[in-house]
């Protein structure tokens, strides 16, 4: 599959807005031509009328946000770049991953990307479960080199806020990567003072929130990440069951 055919088949609403402008700089006339033939993208302020996010929309959003996070500490570690490539090979296969990483390198050259504008477009157009998946992936990138800087964490926190991710959801996903004595509680979004019944209720709520079927519209390639979050919720619940003996 040619690069232009891949990008044209994969994208929906990403052709418009600030994300479309970033793509335009990365790909030049390729995107311009396809955007014109696509008839443009209709935006809405009504969350119930969001257009369906296609796999490519998620993919491009992820690439742009990954570039922002990797640059947060003022340097780009090869291990972080390798993590991005590895994740894309795992999700999409070698051919599509090569296309994606080619685009990523062009996006990564841009120095004036507005985090706020990009995130607000994603928030307007992308469903909540998919936005949670983006945050999960970004923490994976930050953790890829074995050292998470305060700048990286601060950047992901800023992104989460712009994406409309609540503090509890942010802390839940963060706790999946950075273990502490209360990680299991944070993952389930409860306090250590929670009763056993409250823990059970929290588990049911989080299992529903992070169920892989929530991102089934993005394709099987993105359900793997959702399955990882789902397993972390299960592991947290089982840990508390063992600790408390219920």
């Amino acid at each position: 599959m040619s690069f232009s055919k891949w990008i044209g088949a994969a994208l929906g609403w990403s052709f418009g807005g600030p994300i479309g402008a970033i793509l335009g700089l990365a790909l030049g006339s390729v995107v311009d031509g396809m955007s014109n033939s696509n008839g443009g993208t209709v935006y809405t302020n009504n969350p119930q009328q969001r257009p369906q996010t296609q796999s490519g929309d998620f993919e491009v959003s992820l690439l742009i946000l990954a570039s922002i996070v990797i640059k947060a500490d003022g340097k780009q570690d090869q291990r972080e770049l390798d993590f991005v490539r590895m994740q894309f090979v795992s999700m999409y296969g070698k051919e599509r991953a090569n296309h994606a990483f080619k685009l990523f390198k062009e996006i990564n050259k841009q120095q004036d990307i507005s985090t706020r504008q990009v995130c607000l477009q994603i928030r307007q157009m992308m469903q909540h479960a998919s936005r949670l998946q983006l945050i999960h992936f970004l923490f994976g990138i930050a953790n890829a080199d074995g050292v998470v800087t305060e700048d990286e964490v601060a950047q992901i926190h800023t992104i989460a806020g712009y994406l409309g991710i609540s503090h509890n959801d942010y802390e839940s996903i963060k706790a999946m990567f950075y273990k502490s004595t209360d990680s299991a509680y944070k993952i389930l979004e409860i306090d250590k003072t929670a009763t056993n019944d409250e823990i059970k209720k929290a588990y049911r709520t989080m299992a529903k929130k992070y169920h892989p079927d929530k991102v089934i519209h993005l394709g099987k390639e993105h359900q793997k990440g959702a399955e990882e979050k789902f397993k972390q919720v299960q592991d947290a619940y089982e840990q508390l069951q063992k600790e408390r003996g219920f």
Side-chain angles (χ1 to χ4, degrees), residues 11 18 20 24 37 40 68 102 115 121-122 127 131 133 142 199-200 209 233:
L11 298 181
S37 64
I68 292 171
K102 178 180 177 182
T115 303
Q121 181 180 358
I122 294 171
Q127 297 82 357
R131 284 178 271 141
Q133 191 61 35
I199 291 173
K200 293 175 184 178
K209 180 186 295 185
V233 169

Side-chain angles (χ1 to χ4, degrees), residues 90-104:
S90 174
M91 288 188 295
Y92 304 126
K94 188 174 181 180
E95 181 183 8
R96 182 173 170 184
N98 286 340
H99 289 324
F101 203 73
K102 178 180 177 182
L103 178 59
F104 175 75

Side-chain angles (χ1 to χ4, degrees), residues 37-52:
S37 64
N38 217 34
T41 302
V42 177
Y43 289 84
T44 173
N45 290 320
N46 186 345
Q48 301 301 320
Q49 297 178 6
R50 284 193 181 99
Q52 186 78 302

Side-chain angles (χ1 to χ4, degrees), residues 79-97:
R79 285 169 293 185
E80 293 173 326
L81 297 175
D82 289 344
F83 178 85
V84 175
R85 181 187 287 276
M86 179 184 68
Q87 288 297 302
F88 273 77
V89 170
S90 174
M91 288 188 295
Y92 304 126
K94 188 174 181 180
E95 181 183 8
R96 182 173 170 184

Side-chain angles (χ1 to χ4, degrees), residues 121-140:
Q121 181 180 358
I122 294 171
R123 179 175 179 173
Q124 182 183 24
M125 306 300 285
M126 187 181 290
Q127 297 82 357
H128 182 254
S130 301
R131 284 178 271 141
L132 291 175
Q133 191 61 35
L134 285 174
I135 297 299
H136 185 267
F137 187 92
L138 294 178
F139 269 118

Side-chain angles (χ1 to χ4, degrees), residues 115-116 119 135 151-164 170:
T115 303
R116 180 178 180 275
C119 289
I135 297 299
D151 289 334
E152 289 173 328
V153 172
Q155 187 64 264
I156 297 175
H157 185 266
T158 296
I159 288 171
Y162 286 149
L163 291 179
Y170 168 82

